[in-house]
């Protein structure tokens, strides 16, 4: 019996001790009309060996050679030590560290993680993680609405330069609490939030504004100007940031006159595999004044009764298992193992290593764009400075080109036609530190050939 | 004591194998760049490996200890699940990769949807919720959407039993609902008379865990279903305790309209020190149009994504992509290893282990919270008598168990039972392990009479003794500061790397 250790004699001895004849009798409180007769639709068991073969065959089908896809999930090199350590059973199979004395390993890791995220974002306090970047943004918005008592509107400005899936998630999670999303248009030339459109809201009651850095087009926003606008109009500023970019870029805690109130984002670039979109982790940090409005777990440093340093979950009165319907969020399970991996990743990279990764991403994308600019009919859409993504316009159908490329084992980027139809045949490309100069050349040649093939067809 | 990773550092030290070479000039505006590098550790690779290996050794885990944590289903996490989910084609698959190069992954996910339908008796499943609490959010949001879609905007009350997980009322509130608490009778079943009085034209639905968090099967489920449906409300099944009935009872047959499944409980994906989980949701026909997107459909021999463009009434997305895909793959592997016969055995042996433990602990002198009831896959002890006689509390008992090499059961939950321990052994533990646990519990019980202070002083064998939680909250210290650590600190000129 897979994963059930009982021998027949164990089972019989246990039944005797309980005082029943058979296992069925243990279910005698369940009304008989609800007893089901076997499970229909579950295949027969496979041995580990048989399943290994099946899974290898299926995973091999999805293997590609070269990818230039980004849009919220990024390919980075992950040092071997990250997952070698993170999948140790002591991390992998531990529970939430409610029993602090039996969980000092996990608790110290989270404390170290909180320190690193606070420093990367330039803020005071980080929680122990949320599910992913999109749900972290939803929680940041709910938090902002609780904090900003000067505003009554529950209207939140979210630029159209925020990933459309994130906007969708924010809507699903916050809609029933009366939060209204107002979308800000972008400047057609720069690809940044339109500052004149922003100014139009100067005399309206706005609770919070989301500032993406970088935005969905890979373009850097005018973060100082927007943060200043928020301060001037009693609007709470929420930064939505890429943590690898923060190795290079100004942290949100230093935007504008004295930084944003809350920062959040997708933690995946910090050592988490692409893995079809999850598990990733969302990070969330804020100024100390707002710590009691922070959702999710938080680890604090303290001492034990002998004065030894130790770590424990703290300010739990914010959480659902204590405060129930008055909690800051319903979140319970978060993304603990991903946090462990990210903490190991950040430790291995260190301040210099992370900056160099960010620099390489930036430079590789710059070089990719210059390769692409050499192809007839291919142009970069926006003029704004970018980090590690760019929007290209193709002379033919993006969809058709991507199909040709994927037959050659190349994922050419993310098509923007369904999210931003106004951009025409637009393609979002990304090159990280994982791409060599040869990779860029190969992609350049392949794109040229694919465009030719599509235009001839 | 293991220092913090930051304290192990030395200015200028790097894990050189991960330091890329410089890139020269970049064309980014100065005001967009950092002036100082972030405060990350400056350590070698060996420092990192040793530090995090040492820290891991301070943890209890399933791989090292018996973990009878009620309501958490800490069963063995088969290693194959991790190995197969991390195969390169799965590990490196971009979430937006085209369908034509994703058929391997999508086939697994489609089959997982189908298997979850089979074990829950529901008609459709969405895999996207990223944890149980998000599954709850999905469920209650669907219930709200259903009522609004039927022109009923007054149904904003969610009924929650007083024994429920804290996530239930917290979720109801996040969905803009108010919570009506349903009392429990002394025998552990909910109070039907109170339920009759609670339901009405404002009832959106009820959230129910069955078996309940009290470790007993709710025998009046049919009457509850009739009362709630009769009043126009819908029934939400909290799948936290699905392990107790896996292969025995289908929630769909009990009349539930929507269910979330904690894959990190019943389907054995790792808890990871607090996550990731996965809270897939299943629905009956009533709520099918509202399922969160995306999900996978089959067209001929191909698998395709379906989103809001096809399902216009969907409550929308709950995660940026499709949820915790890697967790879903692990659950898929687990289900294929168990197969039909293995899955039907889960509830049998989880229930056998729980009833055996309950019977044996009763015989060595513990009081059961519901002595007349069968255990489900878990049961509740109350130490009210011991607390009164010797001052030894459920907390003290929990800590003493750590010294005996066992993780503590869930303590002080459910909230309505004083000094309680909620014990869930799971089906993957052997009789020998259970017997050792019983012996340890008996030993501690005996010691409460002989030397209660020794129990109150526990634990003594863990890396730290009991922690000062008041200090943790009052003198809040949630990050390390370099200020009093000479030789480390901010790198002022990032260009001089």
């Amino acid at each position: 019996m897979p994963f059930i250790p009982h021998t027949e004699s164990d089972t019989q001895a246990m039944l005797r001790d309980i005082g029943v004849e058979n296992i069925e009798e243990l279910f005698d409180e369940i009304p008989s009309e609800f007893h089901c007769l076997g499970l229909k639709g579950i295949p027969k068991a496979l041995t580990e060996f048989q399943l290994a073969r099946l899974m290898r065959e299926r995973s091999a089908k999805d293997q590609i050679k070269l990818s230039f896809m980004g849009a919220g999930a990024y390919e980075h090199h992950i040092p071997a030590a990250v997952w070698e350590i993170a999948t140790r059973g002591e991390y992998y199979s531990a529970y939430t560290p409610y029993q602090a004395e039996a969980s000092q390993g996990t608790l110290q890791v989270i404390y170290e993680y909180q320190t690193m995220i606070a420093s990367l974002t330039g803020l005071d306090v980080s929680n122990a993680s949320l599910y992913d970047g999109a749900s972290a943004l939803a929680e940041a918005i709910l938090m902002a609405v609780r904090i900003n008592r000067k505003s009554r509107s529950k209207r939140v400005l979210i630029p159209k330069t925020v990933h459309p899936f994130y906007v969708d998630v924010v809507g699903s999670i916050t809609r029933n609490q009366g939060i209204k999303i107002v979308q800000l248009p972008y400047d057609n030339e720069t690809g940044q939030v339109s500052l004149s459109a922003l100014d139009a809201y100067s005399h309206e009651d706005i609770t919070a504004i989301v500032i993406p850095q970088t935005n969905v087009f890979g373009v850097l926003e005018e973060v100082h100007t927007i943060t200043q606008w928020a301060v001037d109009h009693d609007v709470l500023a929420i930064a939505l940031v890429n943590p690898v970019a923060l190795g290079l870029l100004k942290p949100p805690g230093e935007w504008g006159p004295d930084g944003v109130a809350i920062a959040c984002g997708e933690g995946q670039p910090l050592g988490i595999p692409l893995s079809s979109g999850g598990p990733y982790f969302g990070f969330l940090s804020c100024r100390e004044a707002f710590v009691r409005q922070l959702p999710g777990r938080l680890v604090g440093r303290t001492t034990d009764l002998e004065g030894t340093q130790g770590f424990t979950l703290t300010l739990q009165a914010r959480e659902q298992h204590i405060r129930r319907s008055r909690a800051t969020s319903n979140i319970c399970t978060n993304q603990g193992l991903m946090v462990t991996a990210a903490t190991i990743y950040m430790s291995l990279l260190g301040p210099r290593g992370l900056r160099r990764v960010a620099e390489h991403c930036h430079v590789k994308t710059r070089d990719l764009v210059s390769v692409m600019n050499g192809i007839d009919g291919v142009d970069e859409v926006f003029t704004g400075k970018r980090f590690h993504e760019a929007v290209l316009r193709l002379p033919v159908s993006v969809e058709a080109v991507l199909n040709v490329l994927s037959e050659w084992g190349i994922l050419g980027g993310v098509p923007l036609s369904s999210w931003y139809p106004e951009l025409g045949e637009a393609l979002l490309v990304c090159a990280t530190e994982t791409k060599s100069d040869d990779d860029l050349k190969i992609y350049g040649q392949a794109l040229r050939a694919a465009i030719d093939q599509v235009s001839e067809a | 004591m293991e220092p913090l990773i930051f304290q192990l550092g030395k200015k200028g030290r790097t894990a050189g194998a991960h330091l890329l070479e410089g890139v020269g000039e970049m064309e980014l505006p100065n005001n967009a760049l950092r002036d100082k590098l972030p405060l990350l550790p400056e350590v070698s690779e060996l420092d990192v490996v040793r530090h995090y290996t040492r820290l891991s050794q301070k943890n209890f885990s399933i791989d090292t200890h018996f973990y009878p944590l009620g309501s958490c289903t800490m069963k063995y996490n088969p290693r194959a699940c991790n190995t197969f989910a991390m195969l390169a084609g799965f590990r490196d698959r971009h979430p937006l990769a085209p369908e034509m190069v994703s058929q391997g992954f999508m086939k697994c996910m489609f089959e997982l949807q189908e298997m979850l339908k089979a074990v829950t008796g529901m008609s459709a499943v969405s895999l996207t919720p990223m944890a149980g609490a998000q599954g709850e959010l999905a469920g209650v949001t669907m219930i709200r959407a259903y009522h609004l879609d039927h022109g009923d905007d007054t149904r904003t009350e969610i009924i929650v039993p007083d024994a429920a997980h804290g996530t239930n009322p917290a979720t109801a509130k996040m969905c803009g609902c108010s919570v009506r608490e349903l009392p429990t009778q002394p025998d552990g079943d909910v109070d039907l008379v109170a339920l009759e009085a609670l339901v009405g034209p404002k009832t959106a639905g009820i959230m129910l865990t069955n078996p309940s968090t009290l470790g007993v099967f709710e025998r009046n489920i049919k009457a509850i279903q009739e009362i709630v449906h009769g009043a126009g409300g819908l029934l939400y099944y909290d799948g936290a305790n699905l392990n107790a009935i896996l292969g025995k009872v289908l929630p769909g047959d009990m009349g539930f309209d929507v269910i979330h499944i904690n894959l990190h409980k019943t389907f054995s994906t790792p808890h990871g020190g607090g996550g990731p989980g996965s809270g897939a949701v299943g629905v009956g026909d009533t709520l099918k149009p509202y399922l969160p997107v995306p999900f996978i459909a089959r067209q001929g021999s191909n698998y395709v994504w379906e989103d809001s463009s096809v399902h216009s009434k969907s409550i929308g997305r709950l995660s940026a992509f499709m949820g915790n895909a890697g967790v879903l793959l692990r659950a898929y592997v687990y289900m294929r290893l168990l197969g039909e016969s293995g899955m039907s055995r889960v509830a049998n042996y989880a229930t056998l282990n729980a009833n055996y433990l309950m019977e044996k602990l009763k015989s060595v002198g513990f009081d059961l919270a519901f002595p007349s009831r069968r255990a489900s896959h878990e049961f509740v002890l109350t130490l009210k008598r011991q607390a009164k006689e010797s001052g030894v509390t459920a907390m003290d008992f929990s800590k003493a168990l750590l010294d005996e090499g066992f993780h503590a059961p869930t303590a002080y939950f459910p909230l309505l039972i004083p000094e309680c321990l909620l014990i869930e052994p799971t089906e993957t533990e052997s009789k020998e392990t259970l017997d050792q646990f019983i012996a340890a519990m008996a030993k501690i019980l005996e010691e409460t009479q002989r030397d209660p202070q020794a129990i109150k002083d526990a634990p003594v064998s863990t890396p730290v003794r009991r922690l000062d939680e008041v200090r943790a909250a009052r003198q809040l210290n949630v990050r390390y500061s370099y200020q009093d650590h000479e030789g480390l600190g901010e790198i002022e000129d990032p260009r001089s790397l």
Side-chain angles (χ1 to χ4, degrees):
Chain A
M1 296 187 286
F3 317 121
I4 295 177
H6 300 59
T7 64
E8 186 53 33
S9 69
D10 288 340
T11 304
Q12 290 309 323
M14 292 168 82
L15 290 170
R16 251 195 322 277
D17 283 335
I18 299 168
V20 294
E21 292 284 321
N22 52 46
I23 290 179
E24 268 321 299
E25 228 179 290
L26 298 174
F27 294 90
D28 57 7
E29 289 188 4
I30 301 179
S32 55
E33 65 190 291
F34 295 131
H35 285 252
C36 69
L37 305 162
L39 288 170
K40 293 175 200 76
I42 305 288
K44 275 179 121 174
L46 296 179
T47 63
E48 188 178 301
F49 170 72
Q50 290 169 320
L51 192 57
R53 187 164 180 160
L54 179 82
M55 295 303 277
R56 271 201 303 270
E57 281 166 14
R58 288 192 187 174
S59 82
K61 274 189 181 178
D62 297 354
Q63 195 96 47
I64 49 100
K65 278 188 256 168
L66 206 49
S67 167
F68 295 87
M69 299 184 90
Y74 302 101
E75 181 187 349
H76 290 288
H77 173 67
I78 303 173
V82 171
W83 285 95
E84 286 279 335
I85 304 293
T87 50
R88 283 180 64 92
E90 297 94 327
Y91 290 126
Y92 187 78
S93 72
Y95 189 66
T96 301
Y98 290 131
Q99 287 289 339
E101 300 87 346
S103 314
Q104 285 297 298
T106 290
L107 286 162
Q108 185 168 333
V109 169
I110 297 171
Y111 179 86
E112 293 177 358
Y113 161 83
Q114 290 173 181
T115 303
M116 294 179 197
I117 293 294
S119 172
L120 265 186
T121 56
L123 292 168
D124 302 319
V125 183
S126 157
N127 78 358
S129 81
L130 297 164
Y131 306 130
D132 72 352
S135 71
L137 178 61
E139 290 281 10
I141 287 170
L142 292 170
M143 185 179 169
V145 169
R146 292 194 294 272
I147 292 169
N148 191 353
R149 301 240 171 103
K150 287 182 186 161
S151 165
R152 290 168 168 276
S153 70
K154 294 192 179 181
R155 291 172 82 202
V156 178
L157 292 178
I158 306 184
K160 277 202 78 179
T161 59
V162 169
H163 197 304
F165 283 174
Y166 280 47
V167 182
D168 195 345
V169 171
V170 170
S172 312
I173 295 178
T174 67
R175 189 175 299 125
N176 283 322
Q177 295 190 51
I179 286 161
K180 292 172 278 291
I181 297 170
V182 180
Q183 291 242 264
L184 278 176
Y186 58 87
D187 184 295
N188 291 332
E189 197 160 312
T190 64
Q192 297 171 314
V193 169
S194 161
L195 295 177
S196 57
L198 178 63
D199 266 338
Y201 289 96
S202 294
H203 303 290
E204 296 192 24
D205 180 2
I206 299 292
T207 308
I209 181 167
V210 176
I211 311 172
Q213 183 76 323
T214 60
N215 71 25
V216 71
F217 302 134
V219 172
L220 271 62
E221 295 283 4
E222 297 285 348
V223 294
H224 300 297
T225 311
I226 303 172
T227 308
Q228 178 74 58
W229 179 90
V231 173
D232 292 344
H233 298 93
D234 288 330
V235 174
L236 209 87
I238 299 168
L240 175 65
V241 283
N242 175 323
V244 164
L246 289 181
L248 176 65
L249 301 180
K250 183 92 69 188
E254 296 175 18
W255 294 356
D258 42 26
V260 301
I262 303 170
C264 63
E266 174 54 68
Q268 178 272 331
L270 298 172
I272 313 301
L274 287 167
S275 182
S276 295
Y280 296 170
F281 69 95
F283 60 88
L284 181 61
S285 61
C286 69
R287 295 198 209 146
E288 187 149 10
F290 307 134
V291 65
R292 281 180 169 75
Q293 293 303 334
L294 199 62
R297 295 172 187 146
L298 187 64
V299 171
R301 183 151 61 139
T302 183
T303 49
D304 73 0
L305 52 83
E306 290 174 347
T308 305
Q309 171 185 284
F311 302 88
T312 183
L313 292 170
T314 193
L315 300 188
Q316 294 188 69
R318 299 165 297 113
E319 293 186 67
Q320 48 76 28
H321 62 285
I322 308 288
R323 192 59 68 83
R324 299 177 77 84
S325 69
R326 284 169 296 138
T328 51
S329 166
N330 71 340
I331 191 167
C332 178
T333 291
N334 57 25
Q335 304 289 111
L337 193 66
M338 303 0 259
V339 160
T340 302
T343 307
I344 299 171
Y345 177 86
M346 288 188 276
S347 300
L348 284 169
L349 272 285
R352 294 173 186 78
L354 192 67
R355 184 180 176 102
R356 287 273 169 83
V357 168
E359 289 175 349
H360 275 247
C361 289
H362 172 68
V363 168
K364 291 295 179 192
T365 299
R366 178 195 68 193
D367 295 348
L368 176 66
V369 171
S370 68
V371 169
M372 296 311 177
N373 274 335
I375 301 174
D376 272 352
V378 176
D379 293 303
E380 189 173 11
V381 173
F382 298 117
T383 58
K385 296 283 182 194
R386 60 183 123 69
F387 172 56
H388 71 351
E389 283 172 284
V391 181
L392 304 177
R393 189 171 285 125
L394 304 191
V396 292
S397 156
V398 165
E399 199 190 332
V401 167
L402 291 176
N403 282 340
V404 172
L405 288 170
S406 64
E407 276 168 23
W408 298 339
I410 297 174
L411 300 187
V414 176
L416 294 182
S417 55
S418 63
W419 295 342
Y420 300 97
E422 68 275 18
L423 294 178
E425 295 297 341
L427 175 67
L428 182 67
V429 292
C430 171
T432 65
E433 86 284 4
T434 58
K435 296 293 166 285
S436 68
D437 292 343
D438 279 348
D439 292 338
L440 305 185
K441 270 187 221 146
I442 290 168
Y443 183 30
Q445 286 159 2
L447 184 64
R448 194 187 303 263
I451 289 172
D452 286 349
Q453 189 171 320
V454 169
S455 38
E456 280 160 21
Chain B
M1 200 195 76
E2 178 68 15
L4 293 162
I5 186 76
F6 310 98
Q7 295 167 319
L8 292 168
K10 187 169 182 184
K11 200 155 195 159
R13 184 166 286 156
T14 58
H18 312 297
L19 187 64
L20 304 174
E21 60 195 19
V23 295
E25 270 309 300
M26 293 174 298
E27 295 148 28
L28 288 170
N30 258 334
N31 73 349
L33 298 179
R34 274 184 175 274
D35 306 321
K36 299 169 187 166
L37 288 185
L39 304 178
L40 297 178
E42 297 185 67
V43 288
S44 71
E45 180 161 336
L46 178 57
D47 288 334
V48 173
V49 168
R50 212 169 257 167
H51 174 70
Y52 290 106
T53 302
R54 281 188 182 143
L55 283 186
S56 77
Q57 292 168 335
K58 294 178 176 224
N59 271 0
F60 278 40
S61 66
I62 301 173
D63 283 5
T64 54
H65 295 80
F66 177 41
Y67 233 98
L69 203 55
S71 213
C72 300
T73 312
M74 298 295 282
K75 61 170 86 175
Y76 167 60
N77 306 143
R79 281 279 155 178
C81 301
N82 185 57
T83 304
F84 300 162
M86 291 289 242
L87 288 168
F90 297 135
R91 184 195 61 207
D92 301 336
R93 186 185 163 271
H94 192 281
L96 302 174
E99 285 163 356
M100 63 187 284
V101 288
S102 304
Q103 291 295 303
F105 170 74
M106 293 177 80
K107 185 166 205 268
C108 293
M109 292 299 100
F110 181 81
E111 290 174 359
L112 178 61
Q113 288 175 185
E114 294 298 306
M115 289 194 288
L116 291 175
K117 276 156 64 176
V119 297
T120 57
M122 307 307 275
S123 54
V125 161
S126 166
L127 301 172
T128 178
M130 292 175 282
Q134 218 195 23
E136 292 179 30
L137 185 102
V140 178
T141 304
M142 282 189 269
I143 290 174
R144 285 272 280 163
Y146 168 84
H147 291 310
L148 287 172
D149 200 24
H150 288 76
D152 195 342
D153 59 1
T154 55
R155 292 190 179 271
T156 54
E157 288 181 359
I158 294 284
I159 299 168
V160 176
D162 53 5
H165 295 113
T167 48
N168 288 178
T171 297
K173 156 100 179 312
M174 271 189 98
C175 296
C177 294
S178 57
V179 177
R180 304 292 304 271
E181 199 165 86
L182 175 62
T184 304
Q185 299 179 138
D187 66 1
D189 290 336
V190 300
D191 185 334
L192 290 181
V193 177
L195 179 62
E196 291 271 17
L198 280 177
V199 296
K202 287 186 174 174
T203 302
I206 185 170
M207 299 178 85
L208 211 62
T209 312
N210 194 17
S212 72
T213 58
L214 302 169
V216 296
F217 191 88
E218 175 58 62
R219 291 170 293 194
N220 298 319
I221 179 62
K222 191 167 185 198
I224 294 171
Q225 188 258 115
E226 285 165 2
I227 293 169
V228 175
H229 276 157
L234 297 179
L235 277 85
Y236 181 92
Y237 183 89
D238 180 326
N241 291 345
L242 185 65
N243 211 53
I245 59 167
L246 188 63
K248 283 281 162 201
V249 179
L250 306 181
D253 290 350
M254 291 191 276
F256 286 95
D257 300 289
V258 50
I259 167 176
H260 89 257
I261 309 143
N262 299 86
L263 298 181
H264 52 292
K265 297 181 180 178
T266 313
F267 299 106
S268 198
T269 66
H271 283 71
S278 181
V281 285
V283 292
D285 291 335
T286 321
L287 291 179
K288 209 168 165 180
Y290 311 99
L291 264 187
V293 286
F295 37 85
I296 293 171
R298 186 162 57 186
Q299 284 178 359
S301 59
N302 282 331
Y303 298 92
V304 296
W305 291 107
E306 289 194 347
D307 62 17
S308 306
S309 60
V310 186
H311 301 274
S312 59
K313 289 185 175 181
S314 163
I315 60 166
R317 283 180 177 269
L318 292 171
S319 68
F321 300 106
M322 59 123 352
N324 284 335
V327 177
L328 298 166
L329 270 174
R330 285 168 176 81
Y332 174 77
V333 171
Y334 175 78
M335 292 179 93
R336 294 302 306 264
L337 287 171
L338 256 58
E340 183 191 359
S341 56
M343 238 174 289
S344 304
R345 278 193 292 257
V346 166
N348 281 346
Y349 286 87
T351 304
L352 176 69
N353 277 359
N355 279 282
Y356 176 73
L357 262 191
M358 180 171 85
E359 209 51 47
K360 289 289 216 175
L361 289 173
K362 187 174 89 179
S363 71
V364 300
F366 286 93
D367 297 335
L368 305 178
F370 301 100
S372 66
R373 302 291 305 266
R374 291 261 190 243
S376 60
H377 66 318
E378 62 187 355
F379 60 96
V380 187
L381 294 184
T382 172
L383 300 169
K384 196 174 148 193
R385 184 163 53 87
Q386 287 79 6
K388 204 171 163 194
E389 286 167 2
S390 62
V392 171
T393 63
M395 164 83 85
D396 300 327
F397 239 89
S398 300
K399 302 302 182 194
L401 274 169
L402 302 180
D403 280 336
E404 298 295 326
F406 295 101
H407 193 278
T410 300
Y412 299 103
F413 179 82
L415 307 172
L416 60 157
I417 316 256
E419 298 298 336
C420 67
L421 295 178
L422 179 61
I423 302 177
E424 179 184 2
T426 83
E427 73 280 7
T428 62
E429 298 297 335
S430 68
K431 180 173 182 294
E432 287 78 7
T433 302
L434 302 183
D435 287 339
Q436 286 160 12
F437 178 72
I438 294 157
M441 288 286 284
K443 181 181 159 197
I444 298 167
L445 185 62
E446 194 248 337
E447 197 145 298
T448 57
Q449 281 140 22
R450 202 166 36 81
D451 184 7
Q453 192 55 43
I455 307 296
K456 289 172 168 302
D457 287 341
V460 294
S461 62
T462 45
V464 291
R465 305 279 304 275
R466 283 194 212 188
L467 291 158
D468 187 343
E469 296 197 357
V470 174
R471 177 187 158 136
R474 292 222 175 120
Q475 298 172 38
L476 195 66
N477 176 338
V478 292
R479 72 182 162 107
Y480 178 68
S481 160
Y482 280 89
Q483 276 159 8
D484 42 33
H485 198 92
E486 214 177 312
L488 289 177
E490 295 166 319
I491 300 167
E492 296 287 349
D493 183 5
R495 277 154 219 274
S496 70
L497 287 181

